[in-house]
Amino acid sequence: MSTTAPRSTASPSQEDRLWTVEEHLEDILSTVRPLEPIELQLLDAQGCVLVEDVTVPVSLPPFDNSSMDGYAVRVADVTGASGEFPAVLEVVGDVAAGQAPGLKVGPGQAARIMTGAPLPPGAEAVVPVEWTDGGLGGGPATGMKARSKAPEGASGQVRVYQGAEAGAHVRRAGSDMKAGDRALAAGTVLGPAQLALLASVGRATAKVRPRPRVVVLSTGSELVPPGEPLKPGQIHDSNSFALTAAAREAGAIAYRVGAVADDAETLRTSVDDQLVRADLLVTSGGVSVGAYDVVKEALTAPEPARLEAGDGEEGDGEHGGAEPAAAGVDFRRVAMQPGKPQGFGLIGPDHTPVLTLPGNPVSSFVSFEIFVRPVIRALMGLPEDQLHRPRARAALDAGKALSSPRGRRQFLRGRLDGDRVTPVGGASSHLVGALAQANALIVVPEDVTSLEPGDDVEVVLLG
Amino acid sequence: MSTTAPRSTASPSQEDRLWTVEEHLEDILSTVRPLEPIELQLLDAQGCVLVEDVTVPVSLPPFDNSSMDGYAVRVADVTGASGEFPAVLEVVGDVAAGQAPGLKVGPGQAARIMTGAPLPPGAEAVVPVEWTDGGLGGGPATGMKARSKAPEGASGQVRVYQGAEAGAHVRRAGSDMKAGDRALAAGTVLGPAQLALLASVGRATAKVRPRPRVVVLSTGSELVPPGEPLKPGQIHDSNSFALTAAAREAGAIAYRVGAVADDAETLRTSVDDQLVRADLLVTSGGVSVGAYDVVKEALTAPEPARLEAGDGEEGDGEHGGAEPAAAGVDFRRVAMQPGKPQGFGLIGPDHTPVLTLPGNPVSSFVSFEIFVRPVIRALMGLPEDQLHRPRARAALDAGKALSSPRGRRQFLRGRLDGDRVTPVGGASSHLVGALAQANALIVVPEDVTSLEPGDDVEVVLLG
């Protein structure tokens, strides 16, 4: 081929540089910082990362209490008791959960006690009601009658058929956690059990990193909301739905703005309007090499001429700071398929991170999984090993060999079943029908150009 | 032991019957029906089960369109083109995405075309801009200049350095999905990709089973909300937080009512008030054999005397229908540890399912995992294999042998790391501190009374 042939001789200028997937991801993750912690009500903190060690202020349980419904007794009074020779004790009253015990258990006495109620002074153990006649005198009991219907159960006599050691059926104060113990360590993700623990130690709120607010904006003059009729040349916007749902699934609070037409001023206005509620902005479309690539046009660092033209409002934040990273979005080519055109930068007065994804539905979906999901989880303060989807190995279940472009990491959509994965829908990036059948991405490394049926491949597990 | 000894001679009356875990679960799941489907906006339907087959109304894409930014050409005009001998074509205009093509490509002509734009009449293929000089005459181009800044790009001449076959870089109408194809089958769970597909075929809404609304209510006069000081005999309510969070994690919309005191009328009023927003009611506490077990007292099928006393309002729904299952809550003993006292029934005018869990924090947590989670997911219409937490096998990593009661299935809390699981916190059901360290439940079958270190055990994976 002649030296004027275009494809392999382009000079390696910054614009022409081909970034690896890792380089692009590393650039993003080394720039993005976890969100500042705030104090949230427990149920608002579900799924969030705790940023403080929480210590136990008061031992748990705070007092000796009964683990059974039964009778609080003195050990000596029931020692040797049996079905044939029961111990007969005077019932001096009830101790219900939530009551400070107002009675004492003396020799020959018992207090009827409920699960969770404080062990009254004098008592040393609890015998379950099933070891007694329940005060009814009719042999073994299966339970107590409701106090509201049979108040006489709190007095009279009880026969105890079995002895108990000191501390039997008693939860000792501090047996769960002791005052000063560390209940939870900073960095813990708050699930149901951790929230239970915080509530148990009296905490109504927790200091956590909040869920990131992610604004999702698709671009394209061809996009029409679903539910509205299509004119010639139009298609329905699907990316804004997919990306919003995916952002939520990753842990974010996501706002779908919908589709913006391919006009740079309109897009700039939308972005400026939305930044106030965004910890992260995600766009799709308009980032390739066309003449109508509106995201590229609107979010590339503005040139001085533009600033002089009077639209300094957006520029203020971008140029006021000393950080060069705040100067706008850097548009790149990443060595992957789909998803080559990518962009990342910080914009606006708060240096809000922006990821600009390509517009093909499959490209934007894959780009989200590989780049946006880790950002959302980094903003949440999750540790490195929880940023990414889990991966696994599987055998390729395909009818014929698959080809993959050299020098590009390919992410094929696959259906994983056990340890076998079947490609669905081929390599084209517009095949949303097949995407909906996939539960995994098949990763074909940059140096692999062909895969044979049965080959061992890496897969990314999608939810 | 004498025949009057109480523990093993109780008659097998209904009240004394010991249910297996499977019997109780099967009774619940055979009673609970999936919620009636409703039409929801796409993003409100995330995570829900589709109840209709969705077919493709219009083929996707609806028209032949470009997969690249480049030039729409006639094949004959570029055949044999090379870097040395480029084809030189007249640019007749732009075709942007969203435009109905208003131009035709004749012999010797090309239209500048953007990704997603309809292929104009006359054109047979697209050559990417990188295979051309971009109309600039300066050799290979890396991209186009923005139309808004350089409108002259839509006219003049373009040099094409490489030929293209018919259909090259063209996405054919219907190549993704054809009109009449089934896009999604009834029963599909709607994740991001499935929502994208629905949007793509023009659907703004989907007919799905909604997320169940779960009302969570803890009971106990000893319970104080976290954040408030404890008086003697009091502890903080933690179950209502844990169960609400767990219900959400299972897929529900959960409402935390908080703790209700141990008074039957108060509880009945709370329940009556809450039923209007409940597809499922979950309570904790008050279900054992004590004299203050308020849930048992309030939700057991009312006796005729009570109805005559004028509180027929609650009874109406319970007694109006022919279904015996609607008559109230059946309280049971289930052969498990923790979690022996359980209850299940249908109450109120809508026969709302109620699960009454024991009140110890660990008991209620385990009971939720084993019984409530599957109910929530059954209400969502999820298939049998998605009702339960996944299970695995692991080697027991313990310093000494563990004992387990014969005849009861024990659920120990464990920390799973790879294929080894370490018990945390012992068997006591009040150890919420240890519960927060667990990521698995270790299942000890009914007939196993001892486990040795290294034994192979079944584990339930918690989230």
Side-chain angles (χ1 to χ4, degrees), chain A residues 6 43 46 69 94 98 140 144 147-148 171 175-176 194 199 202 227 236 245 248 289-292 297 360 430 432-433 436, chain B residues 6 43 46 69 94 140 144 147-148 171 175-176 194 199 202 222 227 236 245 248 289-292 297 360 430 432-433 436:
Chain A
L43 287 174
Q46 185 172 2
D69 298 313
D94 274 0
M144 301 173 189
R147 156 82 178 186
S148 58
R171 302 172 188 143
S175 58
D176 190 346
Q194 293 74 31
H236 288 111
R248 285 188 192 165
V289 295
Y292 296 75
E297 186 179 350
N360 287 322
H430 70 297
V432 69
Chain B
L43 288 174
Q46 186 173 1
D69 300 312
D94 274 1
M144 302 173 189
R147 157 81 178 187
S148 58
R171 302 172 189 143
S175 58
D176 190 346
Q194 292 74 32
E222 75 278 26
H236 288 111
R248 284 188 192 165
V289 295
Y292 297 73
E297 185 180 349
N360 286 322
H430 70 298
V432 68

Side-chain angles (χ1 to χ4, degrees), chain B residues 38-42 45 50 52 190 195 198 203-208:
Chain B
I38 56 175
E39 195 86 18
L40 287 181
Q41 294 289 319
L42 291 188
L50 189 69
E52 53 177 351
L190 300 180
L195 295 175
L198 289 170
R203 297 287 297 256
T205 60
K207 195 165 189 183
V208 298

